[in-house]
Amino acid sequence: MGNSEKLENNDNLNKKNQVKKVRIIKSGYGDENLLKDFYNFLKKKDIQEVFGVEEADLIISLGGDGTMLVAVKEAISRDIPVLAINMGSLGYLAEVKPQNAATMLQDYQNGKYKIEERAFLEVKYEDNIFYALNELVITKGGHEAHLIQVEVYSNGVFVNKYRADGIIVATPTGSTAYSLSAGGSIVHPGLNALSITPLASQSLTARPIIVNGCEVLSFKATSRDDSVHLNIDGNQWFQIQPNDLVSARLSKKKIRIIKPTNSDYYSILRQKLKWGDSVL
């Protein structure tokens, strides 16, 4: 049996799913008229919207990738999949168009879908643990703040000292977010890896680096004005002190995203990044 046959048979093994209750998370932006067929489908199939993830069979994200960051934080507590409908602009994660939302939900019920798993970054700050789908950022406190110094260690071994506006530690999912804007590499989501990207480093030789996701990264951050912030996925932040303990590793916890059967990661990159388009 050829590899293509094996893949096709595996795709056909996706189970049918009974969806009776859904948790819908909206961005507040986007044209609701585009979802008319979707809401009619929910009504027709007697699918109830609930406001607690503990009751839901499925989480539906209506927005862009920012809305997905909210949705996955709820999904992690129940380990239920997320269907992401793209009401935003980019949509690396939310690739299903609103006019196809009802069809995609029906396909999920009928077993015609793929599941894509994305790993979280597990961040330990003092005695608390947080989960980030994209990244953690250690950064200076504001535009007028001094450059900060961030020492990075991997399993206790010194990696580098960055004198910069800060550093980004990104998951493969987060490699196409803030890290990419700062000059970091794109990392395939199937890789067990983390990327460290400096922000406006004082040294021209400080370059992004990709490390093993099994390693535990730890950080010591200082500044002359004691203004250093820890930002987690852009929606949680803390002002950290020189002796505060911050560490991170790629978590075993993963989010499961429902995708069309013809979903293709490289095609999404070509489309979103406009690879091959003329610059003129």
Side-chain angles (χ1 to χ4, degrees), residues 142-214:
H143 293 300
E144 297 182 3
H146 294 283
L147 294 180
I148 65 174
Q149 289 192 138
V150 185
E151 295 180 11
V152 181
Y153 298 82
S154 176
N155 289 344
V157 177
F158 179 64
V159 176
N160 197 9
K161 178 190 289 185
Y162 297 93
R163 181 169 170 78
D165 281 353
I167 63 166
I168 303 168
V169 179
T171 65
T173 297
S175 71
T176 52
Y178 191 9
S179 179
L180 182 63
S181 300
S185 298
I186 296 174
V187 182
H188 190 281
L191 292 178
N192 182 27
L194 292 172
S195 57
I196 304 170
T197 304
L199 284 169
S201 174
Q202 189 181 54
S203 170
L204 296 178
T205 60
R207 315 310 298 171
I209 182 173
I210 297 172
V211 300
N212 191 326
C214 294

Side-chain angles (χ1 to χ4, degrees), residues 228-248:
V228 181
H229 288 176
L230 169 65
N231 189 306
I232 301 172
D233 261 356
N235 53 35
Q236 292 175 299
W237 69 273
F238 310 90
Q239 183 167 353
I240 59 177
Q241 303 302 318
N243 294 325
D244 286 352
L245 301 177
V246 181
S247 64

